[in-house]
Short mmCIF file of all heavy atoms in Angstrom, two decimals:
data_model
loop_
_atom_site.label_atom_id
_atom_site.label_comp_id
_atom_site.label_asym_id
_atom_site.label_seq_id
_atom_site.Cartn_x
_atom_site.Cartn_y
_atom_site.Cartn_z
N LEU I 73 -19.84 7.96 11.91
CA LEU I 73 -19.05 7.50 13.06
C LEU I 73 -19.32 6.03 13.35
O LEU I 73 -20.48 5.59 13.41
CB LEU I 73 -19.41 8.34 14.30
CG LEU I 73 -18.81 7.86 15.62
CD1 LEU I 73 -17.29 8.04 15.62
CD2 LEU I 73 -19.43 8.63 16.79
N LYS I 74 -18.25 5.30 13.59
CA LYS I 74 -18.34 3.92 14.04
C LYS I 74 -17.54 3.79 15.33
O LYS I 74 -16.41 4.28 15.42
CB LYS I 74 -17.77 2.96 12.99
CG LYS I 74 -17.69 1.51 13.45
CD LYS I 74 -17.00 0.63 12.40
CE LYS I 74 -16.81 -0.79 12.91
NZ LYS I 74 -16.08 -1.63 11.92
N LEU I 75 -18.12 3.17 16.34
CA LEU I 75 -17.44 2.96 17.62
C LEU I 75 -17.10 1.48 17.78
O LEU I 75 -17.90 0.61 17.43
CB LEU I 75 -18.32 3.40 18.79
CG LEU I 75 -18.70 4.88 18.86
CD1 LEU I 75 -19.61 5.14 20.05
CD2 LEU I 75 -17.47 5.75 18.93
N THR I 76 -15.92 1.21 18.34
CA THR I 76 -15.51 -0.17 18.57
C THR I 76 -14.53 -0.23 19.73
O THR I 76 -13.82 0.75 19.99
CB THR I 76 -14.86 -0.78 17.31
OG1 THR I 76 -14.47 -2.13 17.58
CG2 THR I 76 -13.63 0.02 16.89
N ASP I 77 -14.52 -1.37 20.40
CA ASP I 77 -13.50 -1.59 21.44
C ASP I 77 -12.48 -2.62 20.97
O ASP I 77 -11.70 -3.15 21.76
CB ASP I 77 -14.14 -2.03 22.75
CG ASP I 77 -14.97 -3.30 22.64
OD1 ASP I 77 -15.07 -3.86 21.51
OD2 ASP I 77 -15.53 -3.74 23.65
N ASN I 78 -12.47 -2.88 19.66
CA ASN I 78 -11.51 -3.79 19.06
C ASN I 78 -10.48 -2.95 18.30
O ASN I 78 -10.80 -2.35 17.27
CB ASN I 78 -12.22 -4.77 18.12
CG ASN I 78 -11.27 -5.82 17.55
OD1 ASN I 78 -10.29 -5.49 16.90
ND2 ASN I 78 -11.58 -7.09 17.79
N LEU I 79 -9.25 -2.90 18.79
CA LEU I 79 -8.23 -2.03 18.22
C LEU I 79 -7.93 -2.40 16.77
O LEU I 79 -7.79 -1.52 15.91
CB LEU I 79 -6.96 -2.08 19.06
CG LEU I 79 -5.82 -1.17 18.61
CD1 LEU I 79 -6.26 0.29 18.63
CD2 LEU I 79 -4.60 -1.37 19.52
N ARG I 80 -7.84 -3.68 16.49
CA ARG I 80 -7.52 -4.10 15.12
C ARG I 80 -8.61 -3.66 14.16
O ARG I 80 -8.33 -3.16 13.06
CB ARG I 80 -7.33 -5.62 15.07
CG ARG I 80 -6.84 -6.14 13.72
CD ARG I 80 -6.60 -7.64 13.77
NE ARG I 80 -5.48 -7.97 14.63
CZ ARG I 80 -4.20 -8.00 14.25
NH1 ARG I 80 -3.89 -7.69 12.99
NH2 ARG I 80 -3.26 -8.33 15.10
N ASP I 81 -9.88 -3.80 14.56
CA ASP I 81 -10.97 -3.34 13.71
C ASP I 81 -10.94 -1.83 13.52
O ASP I 81 -11.26 -1.31 12.45
CB ASP I 81 -12.32 -3.75 14.31
CG ASP I 81 -12.60 -5.25 14.19
OD1 ASP I 81 -11.86 -5.92 13.43
OD2 ASP I 81 -13.54 -5.73 14.85
N ALA I 82 -10.54 -1.13 14.57
CA ALA I 82 -10.55 0.33 14.53
C ALA I 82 -9.59 0.88 13.49
O ALA I 82 -9.83 1.95 12.92
CB ALA I 82 -10.21 0.89 15.90
N VAL I 83 -8.50 0.18 13.24
CA VAL I 83 -7.48 0.73 12.34
C VAL I 83 -7.35 -0.04 11.03
O VAL I 83 -6.54 0.32 10.17
CB VAL I 83 -6.10 0.75 13.04
CG1 VAL I 83 -6.16 1.58 14.31
CG2 VAL I 83 -5.59 -0.67 13.34
N SER I 84 -8.15 -1.08 10.84
CA SER I 84 -7.94 -1.98 9.70
C SER I 84 -8.09 -1.27 8.35
O SER I 84 -7.42 -1.65 7.38
CB SER I 84 -8.91 -3.16 9.78
OG SER I 84 -10.26 -2.70 9.71
N GLU I 85 -8.95 -0.26 8.26
CA GLU I 85 -9.16 0.44 7.01
C GLU I 85 -8.73 1.91 7.09
O GLU I 85 -9.08 2.72 6.23
CB GLU I 85 -10.63 0.36 6.59
CG GLU I 85 -11.10 -1.07 6.33
CD GLU I 85 -12.55 -1.11 5.87
OE1 GLU I 85 -13.25 -0.09 6.02
OE2 GLU I 85 -12.98 -2.16 5.37
N ALA I 86 -7.96 2.24 8.11
CA ALA I 86 -7.59 3.63 8.34
C ALA I 86 -6.66 4.16 7.26
O ALA I 86 -5.78 3.45 6.76
CB ALA I 86 -6.91 3.77 9.70
N GLU I 87 -6.87 5.43 6.91
CA GLU I 87 -5.93 6.14 6.04
C GLU I 87 -5.14 7.17 6.85
O GLU I 87 -4.20 7.77 6.35
CB GLU I 87 -6.70 6.84 4.92
CG GLU I 87 -7.37 5.86 3.98
CD GLU I 87 -8.27 6.55 2.98
OE1 GLU I 87 -9.01 7.48 3.36
OE2 GLU I 87 -8.24 6.15 1.79
N PHE I 88 -5.53 7.32 8.11
CA PHE I 88 -4.82 8.20 9.05
C PHE I 88 -5.27 7.80 10.45
O PHE I 88 -6.44 7.48 10.67
CB PHE I 88 -5.12 9.67 8.79
CG PHE I 88 -4.53 10.59 9.83
CD1 PHE I 88 -3.18 10.88 9.82
CD2 PHE I 88 -5.33 11.15 10.82
CE1 PHE I 88 -2.62 11.70 10.78
CE2 PHE I 88 -4.79 11.98 11.78
CZ PHE I 88 -3.43 12.25 11.76
N VAL I 89 -4.33 7.83 11.40
CA VAL I 89 -4.65 7.46 12.78
C VAL I 89 -4.27 8.60 13.72
O VAL I 89 -3.13 9.07 13.70
CB VAL I 89 -3.90 6.18 13.21
CG1 VAL I 89 -4.14 5.89 14.69
CG2 VAL I 89 -4.34 4.99 12.36
N GLN I 90 -5.25 9.05 14.52
CA GLN I 90 -5.01 10.06 15.55
C GLN I 90 -5.11 9.37 16.91
O GLN I 90 -6.17 8.92 17.31
CB GLN I 90 -6.05 11.19 15.46
CG GLN I 90 -5.83 12.31 16.45
CD GLN I 90 -4.70 13.24 16.04
OE1 GLN I 90 -4.65 13.68 14.90
NE2 GLN I 90 -3.81 13.56 16.97
N GLU I 91 -3.99 9.28 17.60
CA GLU I 91 -3.93 8.57 18.89
C GLU I 91 -4.01 9.56 20.05
O GLU I 91 -3.26 10.52 20.09
CB GLU I 91 -2.63 7.75 18.95
CG GLU I 91 -2.34 7.16 20.30
CD GLU I 91 -1.52 8.11 21.17
OE1 GLU I 91 -0.49 8.63 20.69
OE2 GLU I 91 -1.90 8.31 22.36
N SER I 92 -4.93 9.29 20.97
CA SER I 92 -5.11 10.14 22.16
C SER I 92 -5.25 9.27 23.40
O SER I 92 -6.18 9.42 24.20
CB SER I 92 -6.34 11.04 22.00
OG SER I 92 -6.28 11.79 20.81
N ALA I 93 -4.32 8.34 23.56
CA ALA I 93 -4.32 7.44 24.71
C ALA I 93 -3.82 8.18 25.95
O ALA I 93 -3.30 9.30 25.85
CB ALA I 93 -3.43 6.23 24.42
N PRO I 94 -3.98 7.59 27.15
CA PRO I 94 -3.52 8.25 28.38
C PRO I 94 -2.05 8.63 28.32
O PRO I 94 -1.23 7.98 27.67
CB PRO I 94 -3.77 7.17 29.45
CG PRO I 94 -4.90 6.36 28.91
CD PRO I 94 -4.68 6.32 27.43
N GLU I 95 -1.71 9.72 29.03
CA GLU I 95 -0.36 10.29 29.01
C GLU I 95 0.59 9.52 29.92
O GLU I 95 1.13 10.08 30.89
CB GLU I 95 -0.41 11.76 29.43
CG GLU I 95 -0.91 12.68 28.34
CD GLU I 95 0.14 12.91 27.26
OE1 GLU I 95 0.96 13.82 27.40
OE2 GLU I 95 0.13 12.15 26.28
N ARG I 96 0.79 8.25 29.63
CA ARG I 96 1.75 7.43 30.36
C ARG I 96 2.65 6.74 29.35
O ARG I 96 2.17 6.07 28.43
CB ARG I 96 1.03 6.42 31.26
CG ARG I 96 0.35 7.06 32.46
CD ARG I 96 -0.52 6.07 33.21
NE ARG I 96 0.20 4.85 33.55
CZ ARG I 96 -0.39 3.77 34.07
NH1 ARG I 96 -1.69 3.75 34.30
NH2 ARG I 96 0.33 2.70 34.36
N LEU I 97 3.94 6.94 29.52
CA LEU I 97 4.88 6.48 28.50
C LEU I 97 4.77 4.99 28.23
O LEU I 97 4.79 4.56 27.08
CB LEU I 97 6.31 6.84 28.90
CG LEU I 97 7.41 6.44 27.90
CD1 LEU I 97 7.16 7.08 26.53
CD2 LEU I 97 8.78 6.83 28.44
N GLU I 98 4.65 4.19 29.30
CA GLU I 98 4.59 2.74 29.08
C GLU I 98 3.36 2.34 28.28
O GLU I 98 3.41 1.42 27.45
CB GLU I 98 4.64 1.99 30.41
CG GLU I 98 3.46 2.22 31.36
CD GLU I 98 3.64 3.43 32.25
OE1 GLU I 98 4.48 4.29 31.95
OE2 GLU I 98 2.90 3.51 33.27
#
Side-chain angles (χ1 to χ4, degrees):
L73 172 67
K74 174 185 175 183
L75 297 178
T76 180
D77 58 359
N78 185 302
L79 183 60
R80 187 177 293 273
D81 287 348
V83 302
S84 62
E85 297 182 346
E87 295 173 317
F88 174 76
V89 175
Q90 183 76 48
E91 170 270 311
S92 305
E95 282 286 273
R96 288 172 52 188
L97 181 58
E98 64 274 18

